């Protein structure tokens, strides 16, 4: 009976597979290797060009820049730069046209191939970004101020960056760009034939042959060979293995140049021999792996899971909840006839129960904010009071603004341009769990003031498109900031209050515009602080958007490691982990 | 039979073309701007200088890289007043501008050259002009008021000679008094996005994943191995357990033992697989329920070293496969039971008994092959499903399979990957159908193809 035999045979195979597996040996090198969970696979390992936030976590340990913000103190530290950059005015024909920033790279700094790291590598990095065929629109926008770069012919370790206008971010931005090795990424010296200025300003007038060279370079540069298999940077770690969607392993370079400067600052200590990043999208799975000792660090778990885990298993695990540079807010289209009046926007703030959001939705793992800058910034204006949840006050404000319930349907209305408008507002949300809960709380609160909030769940890209076209009323948003000082120009200047510009709210008047322009030219941090303070006051008074809370990151780490809480993303600094 | 096969295989081509055409156009209708996605979607539009023309230039470059700067198809049928650039303009707002200008003014080629000069000249003007001039220049954007535009350009031409070309184009325009009610016919030839895409597909070039720049086929291949193994294991389990149980239930008749087995099966059927998966995961991997009993089975694929053996892979797939098998077991067993029961009552079984054949021989030799027909149909339809993966199970057990790949790619609008999977699954669905017919013939010699006995299929 052949069928019978086939069935028996298949059962036998199943049993063999189940029975034939022996228990696994313990993880090798347990003391040397840190295992970090990532919720999704990085897209590529090319700083400033990768689009996944997880790529950045790895790039930070593989690449190095001239200076870098200390993850704990947020003060700039010298990494590749031998000393603080010297900044002077750039004078042409008697006029100050901008700034010249002089850099010198450390003498011992070299690539793992033995080649020295020089100003040529820096120039090459900028050329990569400005090659129009490289998909780098975002970073090009930030580096727009760079006019030219001159490398000292006598000492290639020295170079100068010429920045147009007295832009206050010229120095920090130009010094925090991770540097790519020219000899590795451009072995045929293709980009040598183009000057930075040509790439920046005349790339549309190039010959066909020249365009083809740029195209070939871009294709090769973006190919998996360079972006995934063989990335090379000046950091302490190199990529050892990448199994897509499974794991990435970074290994400590044995002959790293930085060891010669060991102890100078945090960027010169790199303890673990290996950092493994494992991709685990599911939160429950990640927690199980942590409990089973297969993973050392997990992040981005929900506040509720975090608190539950803290109550259950705290003796074997360490818990950290640093406040990182991000906050939740509701963007308002101030051009909408219903939201034009400042009193209406303030009333909405009074109807938004932020305290409830903080305690219930985020399980108290958050901090309330009043303005556009994160509270950990030195120029955060802490003299401004939190705006309380106060429906009675909201009702008074709405009455005064002329919004009354004239037809008794429970929703306030007003005649604008001869038309009766109900105070009905649409709130776009991405439909995430937290987003839905916040929207619900807002909706309930608004109802108490006679305002109807309709929640529209949609993908973020659709929300963004509506905002670009200014066809939205309210959007639930997350703002992410950097350790760099904030430049309010993009989001708050009236120059950008046009389609495709990112002042989506329609905020701004002469005073605020003036402050922003002055702020961008003020190099002295003390003077800038005063401007930031005044700017926050104006925002506070005008209430262009509804600021809510800055959530804390949820990080759980195995107690095998001695760790410190960091103030920068991702909230911990793996190279400083020490085995207990 | 061979003639029949040839016809069936030839039928593949139009079917596949239809599927591709529909999915291509559906992908173009998805809301959201694909170009800004390429540029890196973010709340900030980082133009430190605030120069909008810089942004437009970047936008054009990104559009070109995904063939959004050419018409979608070989031809367009649209209102006859539309300037030709309307069809290749990637930016929705500027497409609108072409449309509005076309409604009001003619000839169309003047509109084309006016708008394209506006962008070309914009960047230079922005660099050289003061704030007032910039504002004046920007006031042209989106405007259809020709006289006002001429006035603005006259002022600007004094300082910027570049503007005179635009002024010339504007002056050449005339008001469009009437609009034709008949739609216009626009022919684009091979310079269209569909043609480029289908020509690449024809030589099996599935393109580069928008997410990480790797060939789409490489990403699909990696995921496919995991999914095939997981579903293969599950299928083996399903058939290995489901068929014998079904046969046993059918031939044993009603008894206490069969009632117990049926109840257990139905209980398994009632359990949602994601819940079962989570329970298995927690039970086997953590010490929440006492000593961890199955850590070795679970070592998630991510923790395995780079070189993974087949056994390694199968080992981590045991629990995921079990989560798929248990809830589906009742279905397979029931199918088989019903099928066998139907056969039991047929005359040939009685004849076989009368001939004195042994019980085993009757069941295995005569009943089971006939009872397998519905199972084969089911299996054939299952082939594409085998590749589709099971999203929930893959997420819970952290298997980087097809379910996760497809989900991420659809939501990430990674069309090259989506289309690769689509082409593969549609192809296999067609092959599955065909192979079901062939297997019928193989198992049952009574089944014949061709028209000799009046039609296709089994008789």
């Amino acid at each position: 009976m052949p069928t019978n035999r086939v069935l028996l045979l298949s059962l036998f195979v199943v049993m063999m597979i189940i029975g034939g597996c022996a228990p696994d040996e313990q993880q090798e090198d347990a003391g040397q290797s840190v295992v970090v969970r990532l919720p999704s696979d990085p897209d590529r390992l090319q700083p400033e060009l990768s689009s996944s936030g997880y790529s950045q976590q790895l790039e930070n340990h593989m690449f190095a820049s001239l200076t870098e913000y200390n993850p704990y103190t947020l003060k700039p530290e010298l990494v590749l730069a031998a000393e603080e950059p010297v900044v002077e005015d750039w004078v042409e024909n008697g006029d100050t046209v901008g700034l010249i920033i002089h850099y010198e790279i450390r003498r011992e700094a070299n690539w793992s191939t033995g080649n020295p790291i020089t100003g040529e590598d820096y120039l090459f990095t900028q050329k990569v970004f400005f090659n129009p065929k490289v998909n780098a629109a975002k970073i090009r926008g930030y580096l727009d101020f760079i006019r030219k770069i001159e490398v000292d012919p006598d000492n290639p370790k020295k170079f100068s960056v010429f920045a147009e206008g007295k832009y206050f971010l010229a120095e920090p931005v130009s010094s925090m760009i991770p540097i790519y090795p020219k000899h590795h990424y451009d072995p045929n010296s293709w980009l040598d034939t183009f000057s930075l200025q040509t790439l920046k300003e005349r790339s549309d007038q190039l010959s066909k042959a020249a365009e083809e060279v740029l195209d070939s370079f871009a294709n090769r540069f973006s190919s998996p060979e360079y972006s995934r298999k063989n990335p090379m940077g000046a950091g302490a770690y190199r990529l050892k293995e990448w199994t897509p969607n499974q794991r990435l392993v970074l290994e400590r370079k044995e002959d790293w140049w930085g060891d010669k400067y060991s102890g100078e600052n945090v960027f010169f200590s790199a303890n673990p021999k290996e950092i493994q990043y494992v991709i685990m999208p599911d939160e429950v799975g990640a927690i199980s792996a942590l409990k089973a000792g297969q993973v050392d660090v997990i992040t981005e778990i929900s506040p509720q899971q975090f608190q539950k885990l803290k109550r259950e298993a705290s003796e074997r695990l360490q818990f950290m909840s640093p406040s990182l540079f991000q906050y939740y807010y509701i963007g308002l289209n101030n051009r909408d006839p219903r939201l034009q009046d400042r009193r209406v926007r303030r009333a909405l703030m009074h109807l938004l129960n932020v305290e409830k959001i903080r305690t219930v939705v985020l399980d108290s793992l958050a901090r309330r904010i009043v303005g556009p800058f994160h509270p950990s910034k030195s120029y955060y204006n802490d003299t401004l009071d939190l705006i309380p949840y106060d429906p009675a006050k909201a009702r008074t404000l709405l009455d005064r603004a002329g919004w009354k319930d004239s037809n008794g349907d429970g929703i306030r209305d007003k005649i604008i341009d001869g038309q009766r408008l109900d105070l009905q507002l649409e709130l776009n949300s991405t439909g995430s769990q937290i987003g839905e809960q916040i929207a619900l709380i807002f909706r309930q609160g608004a109802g108490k003031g006679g305002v109807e909030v309709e929640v529209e769940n949609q993908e973020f890209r659709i929300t963004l498109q509506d905002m670009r076209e200014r066809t939205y009323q309210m959007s639930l948003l997350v703002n992410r900031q950097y350790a760099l000082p904030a430049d309010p120009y993009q989001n708050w200047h009236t120059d950008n209050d046009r389609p495709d510009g990112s002042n989506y709210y329609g905020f701004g008047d002469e005073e605020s515009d003036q402050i922003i322009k002055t702020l961008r030219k003020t190099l002295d941090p003390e003077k800038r602080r005063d401007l930031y303070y005044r700017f926050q006051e104006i925002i506070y008074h005008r209430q262009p958007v509804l600021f809510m809370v800055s959530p804390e990151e949820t990080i759980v780490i195995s107690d095998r490691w001695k760790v410190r809480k960091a103030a920068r993303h991702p909230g911990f600094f793996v190279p400083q982990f020490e085995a207990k | 039979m061979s003639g029949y096969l040839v016809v069936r295989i030839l039928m593949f081509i139009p079917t596949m073309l239809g599927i591709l055409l529909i999915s291509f156009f559906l992908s173009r209708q998805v809301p959201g701007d694909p170009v800004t996605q390429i540029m890196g979607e973010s709340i900030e539009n980082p133009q430190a200088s605030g120069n909008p023309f810089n942004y437009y230039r970047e936008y054009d470059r990104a559009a070109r890289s995904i063939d959004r700067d050419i018409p979608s198809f070989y031809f367009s049928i649209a209102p006859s007043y539309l300037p030709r650039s309307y069809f290749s303009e990637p930016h929705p707002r500027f497409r609108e501008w072409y449309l509005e200008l076309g409604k009001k003014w003619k000839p169309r080629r003047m509109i084309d050259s006016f708008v394209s000069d506006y962008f070309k000249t914009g960047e230079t003007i922005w660099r050289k002009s003061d704030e007032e001039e910039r504002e004046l220049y920007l006031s042209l954007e989106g405007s259809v008021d020709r006289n006002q535009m001429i006035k603005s350009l006259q002022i600007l031409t004094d300082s910027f000679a570049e503007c005179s070309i635009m002024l010339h184009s504007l002056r050449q325009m005339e008001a469009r008094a009437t609009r034709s009610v008949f739609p216009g016919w626009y022919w684009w030839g091979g310079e269209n996005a569909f043609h480029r895409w289908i020509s690449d597909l024809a030589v099996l070039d599935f393109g580069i994943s928008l997410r990480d720049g790797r060939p789409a086929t490489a990403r699909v291949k990696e995921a496919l191995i995991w999914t095939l193994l997981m579903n293969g294991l599950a299928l083996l389990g399903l058939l290995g357990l489901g068929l014998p149980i079904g046969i046993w239930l059918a031939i044993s008749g009603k008894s206490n033992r069969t009632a117990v087995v049926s109840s257990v099966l139905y209980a398994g059927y009632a359990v949602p697989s994601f819940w079962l998966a989570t329970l298995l995961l927690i039970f086997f991997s953590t010490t929440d329920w006492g000593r961890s009993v199955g850590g070795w089975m679970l070592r998630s694929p991510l923790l395995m070293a780079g070189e993974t053996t087949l056994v390694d892979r199968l080992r981590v797939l045991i629990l995921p496969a079990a989560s798929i098998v248990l809830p589906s077991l009742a279905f397979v067993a029931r199918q088989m039971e019903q099928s066998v029961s139907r056969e039991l009552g047929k005359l040939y079984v009685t004849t076989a008994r009368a001939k004195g054949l042994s019980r085993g021989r009757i069941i295995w030799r005569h009943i089971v092959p006939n009872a397998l027909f519905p199972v084969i149909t089911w299996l054939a339809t299952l082939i594409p499903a085998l590749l589709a993966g099971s999203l929930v199970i893959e997420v819970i057990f952290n298997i980087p399979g097809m379910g996760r790949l497809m989900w991420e790619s659809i939501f990430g609008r990674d069309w090259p990957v989506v289309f690769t999977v689509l082409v593969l699954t549609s192809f296999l669905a067609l092959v599955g159908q065909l192979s079901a017919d062939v297997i019928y013939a193989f198992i049952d010699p009574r089944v014949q193809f061709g028209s000799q006995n009046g039609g296709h299929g089994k008789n």
Side-chain angles (χ1 to χ4, degrees):
Chain A
M1 285 172 222
T3 325
N4 201 3
R5 274 204 294 273
V6 169
L7 286 177
L8 280 173
L9 190 70
S10 30
L11 269 175
F12 177 65
V13 170
V14 175
M15 298 312 290
M16 281 292 288
I17 293 164
I18 296 175
C21 310
D24 225 322
E25 58 289 348
Q26 277 298 303
Q27 234 171 283
E28 72 290 350
D29 260 354
Q32 301 290 326
S33 179
V34 182
V35 185
V36 183
R37 171 243 179 173
L38 296 180
S40 79
D41 206 20
D43 56 334
R44 55 181 64 230
L45 293 172
Q46 283 181 327
E48 309 299 342
L49 303 176
S50 49
S51 54
S52 151
Y54 302 119
S55 300
Q56 217 182 334
Q57 275 195 45
L58 284 88
E59 288 158 4
N60 283 344
H61 310 315
M62 297 167 63
F63 288 80
S65 49
L66 294 160
T67 65
E68 188 59 76
Y69 284 108
N70 185 309
Y72 307 107
T73 62
L74 298 179
K75 295 252 157 51
E77 308 265 18
L78 302 177
V79 186
L80 281 169
E83 51 202 38
E84 295 285 337
V86 179
V87 184
E88 62 167 325
D89 281 352
W90 175 14
V91 183
E92 258 182 10
N93 308 327
D95 294 332
T96 307
V97 291
L99 298 170
I100 308 178
I101 310 154
H102 303 284
Y103 290 104
E104 183 173 355
I105 295 176
R106 289 179 195 262
R107 215 154 45 88
E108 303 287 348
N110 55 20
W111 304 108
S112 44
T113 46
N115 300 36
I117 303 175
T118 67
E120 292 293 342
D121 293 308
Y122 186 88
L123 175 61
F124 166 74
T125 306
Q126 297 286 347
K127 284 186 187 174
V128 171
F129 295 150
F130 282 103
N131 177 346
K133 307 287 179 179
V134 172
N135 184 11
K138 208 165 165 179
I139 186 70
R140 280 198 280 271
Y142 285 118
L143 294 173
D144 199 29
F145 60 85
I146 293 182
R147 276 289 139 256
K148 59 175 174 174
I149 292 161
E150 281 178 4
V151 183
D152 186 341
D154 300 326
N155 178 5
K157 290 261 176 192
K158 286 186 175 176
F159 64 95
S160 309
V161 175
F162 293 73
E164 192 177 64
K166 276 192 127 181
Y167 185 37
F168 80 117
L169 287 180
E171 187 244 301
V173 167
S174 63
S175 68
M176 275 159 204
I177 290 294
I179 301 181
Y180 286 93
K182 176 170 179 284
H183 70 281
H184 177 70
Y185 287 94
D186 193 12
N188 310 345
S189 303
W190 282 343
L191 290 192
D192 279 3
T193 41
F194 303 89
S195 74
L196 184 63
Q197 277 148 303
T198 310
L199 291 175
K200 277 200 73 181
E201 288 153 29
R202 290 186 295 278
S203 64
D204 293 344
Q205 304 151 21
L206 292 172
S207 69
K208 197 122 189 112
E211 264 196 42
E212 268 168 28
V213 174
L214 290 179
D215 211 24
S216 311
F217 174 84
N219 285 339
R220 200 183 52 190
F221 183 80
S222 321
S223 70
E225 179 58 30
Y226 284 102
S227 63
R228 302 173 65 93
K229 284 190 194 133
N230 256 323
M232 187 196 280
Y237 291 85
R238 70 158 69 86
L239 181 68
K240 183 180 166 196
E241 176 206 321
W242 186 347
T243 313
N245 272 309
Q246 298 183 45
R247 70 170 195 171
L248 295 100
V249 183
L250 299 188
E251 76 179 338
R252 172 75 157 84
K253 290 177 188 163
E254 271 174 15
D255 50 352
W256 183 47
W257 64 272
D259 290 333
K260 300 195 177 85
Y261 300 94
S262 165
E264 198 176 299
N265 63 49
V266 288
F267 295 105
F268 292 102
S269 58
N271 302 326
K273 285 264 176 292
E274 208 176 71
I275 312 172
Q276 290 190 41
Y277 292 86
V278 295
I279 322 301
M280 314 184 99
D282 185 45
E283 186 175 283
V284 179
I287 293 174
S288 298
L290 178 78
K291 284 181 176 172
Q294 295 177 337
V295 172
D296 293 316
V297 185
I298 59 172
T299 55
E300 293 184 39
I301 52 174
S302 69
Q304 286 74 16
Q305 279 284 7
F306 181 79
Q307 302 286 38
K308 185 170 164 249
L309 209 56
K310 209 170 173 178
R311 285 191 295 272
E312 279 173 2
S314 52
E315 73 281 0
R316 285 182 294 113
L317 304 168
Q318 311 174 61
F319 295 83
M320 302 197 302
S321 48
S323 174
L324 303 180
F325 293 132
Q326 57 174 350
Y327 62 79
Y328 297 149
Y329 68 109
I330 293 175
L332 305 176
N333 181 0
N334 293 201
R335 298 235 179 278
D336 189 276
R338 294 168 179 83
L339 293 167
Q340 257 169 2
D341 194 324
R342 188 196 73 85
R343 288 168 296 189
V344 175
R345 302 195 296 265
R346 178 53 58 96
L348 289 175
M349 192 69 231
H350 282 303
L351 293 172
L352 178 60
N353 194 343
V354 182
E355 193 49 31
K356 191 168 171 189
I357 291 170
R358 195 185 74 82
T359 52
V360 177
V361 181
L362 298 166
D363 225 332
S364 300
L365 289 169
R367 178 177 167 178
R368 290 195 58 177
I369 52 157
V370 288
F373 306 129
H374 192 269
S376 63
K377 298 271 187 185
S378 58
Y379 44 81
Y380 178 77
N381 190 339
D382 47 15
T383 61
L384 303 170
D385 292 329
L386 294 172
I387 298 164
Y389 172 64
D390 188 347
K393 203 162 182 182
R395 285 192 287 267
T396 320
L397 278 171
L398 289 171
D399 283 342
R400 261 193 247 151
W403 289 93
K404 290 184 177 142
D405 184 9
S406 62
N407 53 5
D409 64 351
I411 302 168
R412 289 172 187 265
D413 50 67
K414 186 179 173 180
I415 309 278
I416 296 178
D417 296 332
Q419 257 194 326
R420 184 200 301 279
L421 287 183
D422 276 336
L423 198 47
Q424 256 174 342
L425 298 165
E426 195 176 85
L427 173 67
N428 297 334
S429 159
T430 52
S432 71
Q433 201 187 350
I434 288 181
E436 265 179 31
Q437 290 171 333
I438 292 177
L440 190 69
I441 290 175
F442 186 30
R443 193 183 146 82
Q444 282 169 349
K448 292 189 178 150
V451 181
E452 168 133 334
V453 170
E454 287 165 12
V455 183
E456 169 86 14
N457 284 335
Q458 54 181 211
E459 272 185 89
F460 178 64
R461 72 191 69 213
I462 317 274
T463 300
L464 202 55
Q465 196 176 0
D466 286 351
M467 287 171 60
R468 278 206 190 99
E469 289 164 8
R470 309 295 194 262
T471 53
Y472 79 109
Q473 287 183 313
M474 308 194 289
S475 295
L476 189 53
L477 301 164
V478 183
N479 179 293
R480 291 202 175 81
Q481 304 188 329
Y482 308 96
L484 281 171
D487 179 359
Y489 180 73
Q490 315 279 348
N491 283 130
W492 305 104
H493 196 280
T494 52
D495 274 358
N496 292 314
D497 178 17
R498 52 191 309 282
D500 286 324
S502 32
N503 181 352
Y504 305 103
Y505 325 112
F507 168 83
D509 54 24
E510 241 170 72
E511 191 194 355
S512 63
D513 278 0
Q514 194 51 49
I515 291 180
I516 293 172
K517 286 250 152 117
T518 321
L519 200 155
R520 279 160 64 93
K521 286 185 202 142
T522 309
L523 301 184
D524 176 4
E526 283 303 311
K527 283 187 193 148
R528 220 160 48 216
R529 208 181 90 127
D530 296 340
L531 293 165
Y532 276 128
Y533 261 56
R534 175 67 195 131
F535 179 70
Q536 288 171 86
E537 275 170 20
I538 299 175
I539 294 249
Y540 183 83
H541 180 71
R542 296 267 316 269
Q543 192 83 60
V545 305
L546 312 179
F547 296 103
M548 294 187 282
V549 289
S550 165
E552 287 166 12
E553 193 53 80
T554 46
I555 302 167
V556 192
I557 299 179
S558 143
D559 71 345
R560 289 203 302 136
W561 301 100
K562 217 162 83 188
V563 295
R564 273 170 78 192
K565 182 162 97 173
R568 277 182 67 188
H569 196 76
F572 52 89
F573 190 63
V574 189
Q576 282 230 309
F577 277 29
E578 275 182 89
K580 273 186 181 167
Chain B
M1 181 166 165
S2 57
Y4 171 76
L5 273 180
V6 170
V7 173
R8 283 289 298 260
I9 290 169
L10 281 179
M11 283 295 288
F12 271 24
I13 297 165
T15 318
M16 282 299 284
L17 263 180
I19 294 172
L20 292 177
L21 198 69
I22 290 170
S23 42
F24 176 80
F25 281 98
L26 281 179
S27 79
R28 292 237 151 192
Q29 295 310 314
V30 171
D33 189 341
V35 181
T36 50
Q37 182 196 350
I38 296 288
M39 297 171 74
E41 222 135 54
S42 113
I43 194 85
E44 257 187 26
N45 155 14
Q47 295 303 326
S49 60
N51 180 348
F53 294 97
N54 226 340
Y55 176 79
Y56 299 150
R57 188 171 61 165
E58 294 290 3
Y59 190 94
D60 271 353
R61 282 175 185 163
R64 211 171 307 142
S65 72
I66 50 166
D67 286 348
R68 288 280 173 163
D69 64 330
I70 45 174
S72 304
F73 201 52
Y74 296 94
F75 59 86
S76 309
I77 298 172
S80 56
Y81 55 78
L82 286 173
R84 288 178 78 84
S85 306
Y86 169 87
F87 299 93
S88 48
E89 173 58 55
H91 197 298
R93 204 172 68 243
F94 301 132
R95 217 165 32 238
E96 187 74 11
W97 192 17
Y98 278 114
L99 174 98
E100 293 303 325
L101 282 171
K103 270 187 194 165
K104 238 178 142 178
W105 307 101
K106 62 179 186 183
R108 298 180 305 184
R109 66 192 158 78
M110 281 301 141
I111 299 176
D112 279 338
S113 69
F114 169 72
V115 179
S116 84
D117 284 334
Y118 170 78
F119 292 114
K120 259 186 234 156
T121 326
E123 213 158 332
T124 343
I125 301 229
W126 190 270
R127 287 205 186 279
K128 295 191 206 153
S129 57
D130 61 27
E131 230 160 272
E132 233 170 79
E133 289 164 331
R134 285 176 183 181
E135 226 160 84
L136 197 60
Y137 192 79
L138 282 177
S139 71
L140 302 173
E141 194 177 300
S143 167
V144 288
D145 184 345
R146 191 178 72 131
N147 294 342
Q148 187 57 44
M149 287 196 279
I150 288 179
K151 262 187 224 160
S152 307
L153 278 173
Q154 272 168 341
I155 302 171
L156 286 166
T157 312
D158 294 342
S159 339
F160 307 100
E162 297 95 324
C163 293
S164 57
I165 314 168
M166 295 163 66
L167 199 54
H168 174 78
S169 310
L170 272 180
R171 287 198 171 122
Q172 300 285 308
M173 288 185 204
E174 294 164 32
R176 189 182 284 281
T178 50
R179 291 208 298 266
S180 164
V181 288
F182 294 107
W185 166 265
Y186 300 80
W187 174 250
W188 310 113
E191 264 305 278
N192 67 75
F194 181 77
H195 181 81
R196 281 194 194 169
W197 178 69
I198 205 92
S199 318
D200 286 344
L201 274 194
V203 292
L204 296 182
D205 176 0
F206 289 90
I208 301 284
S209 161
L210 300 181
R211 188 182 133 73
D212 58 16
R214 288 191 301 148
T217 41
R219 297 196 61 190
V220 173
K221 201 176 126 197
E222 279 160 15
L224 197 59
I225 295 174
W226 279 109
T227 297
L228 277 178
L229 282 177
M230 179 173 82
N231 288 348
L233 200 60
L235 190 66
L236 208 64
L238 261 183
L239 297 180
L241 293 171
L243 298 187
I245 292 175
I247 297 168
W248 177 76
L249 284 175
I251 57 176
S252 307
K254 281 196 176 138
S255 74
N256 283 344
R257 275 192 302 170
T258 54
V260 170
V261 171
S262 294
S263 313
V264 171
L265 284 182
Y266 279 110
Y269 186 60
V271 173
S273 61
F274 71 88
W275 187 64
L276 182 71
T278 314
L279 281 189
L280 287 176
L281 180 83
I282 293 174
F283 183 76
F284 281 103
S285 71
T286 67
T287 49
D288 289 5
W289 299 77
R291 194 178 165 275
S292 162
V293 282
W296 57 273
M297 268 204 290
L298 261 197
R299 271 194 72 168
S300 107
L302 327 160
L303 296 178
M304 300 190 308
E307 294 292 314
T308 46
T309 62
L310 186 66
V311 174
D312 276 335
R313 289 190 184 224
L314 287 175
R315 192 178 63 184
V316 300
L317 290 172
I318 293 173
L319 288 183
S323 316
I324 300 174
V325 169
L326 289 180
S328 319
L329 202 54
F331 175 76
V332 180
R334 272 306 278 184
Q335 283 273 333
M336 196 60 193
E337 183 196 346
Q338 280 178 357
S339 191
V340 172
S341 306
R342 259 199 308 274
E343 296 298 323
L344 275 176
K346 290 199 175 154
L347 279 176
Y348 73 89
V349 179
T350 320
T351 316
R353 278 205 193 111
K355 267 166 63 184
L357 290 182
S358 73
R359 186 177 145 87
R361 195 171 165 79
I362 295 174
I363 292 169
W364 293 109
R365 194 73 201 159
H366 295 278
I367 296 180
V368 170
N370 286 325
L372 276 176
F373 269 117
V375 179
I376 290 165
T377 326
W378 172 72
L379 272 181
T381 52
L382 206 70
I383 290 174
L386 254 176
L387 303 182
S390 164
L391 176 62
V392 180
I393 302 289
E394 283 175 14
V395 168
I396 294 175
F397 285 104
N398 217 1
I399 311 291
M402 295 288 279
R404 245 168 71 184
L405 179 71
M406 199 58 182
W407 185 72
E408 279 171 13
S409 308
I410 290 176
F411 283 93
R413 311 276 206 270
D414 193 349
W415 299 119
V417 176
V418 174
F419 287 134
T420 310
V421 179
L422 187 85
V423 169
L424 191 71
T425 42
S426 337
F427 180 73
L428 285 171
L430 296 175
V431 171
Q433 300 284 339
L434 186 64
S435 50
D437 287 354
V438 176
I439 296 171
Y440 275 145
F442 187 69
I443 290 193
D444 185 348
R446 287 174 302 164
V447 174
Q448 284 181 6
F449 294 99
S451 50
Q452 275 169 343
N453 47 8
H456 301 309
K458 62 180 195 280
N459 49 19

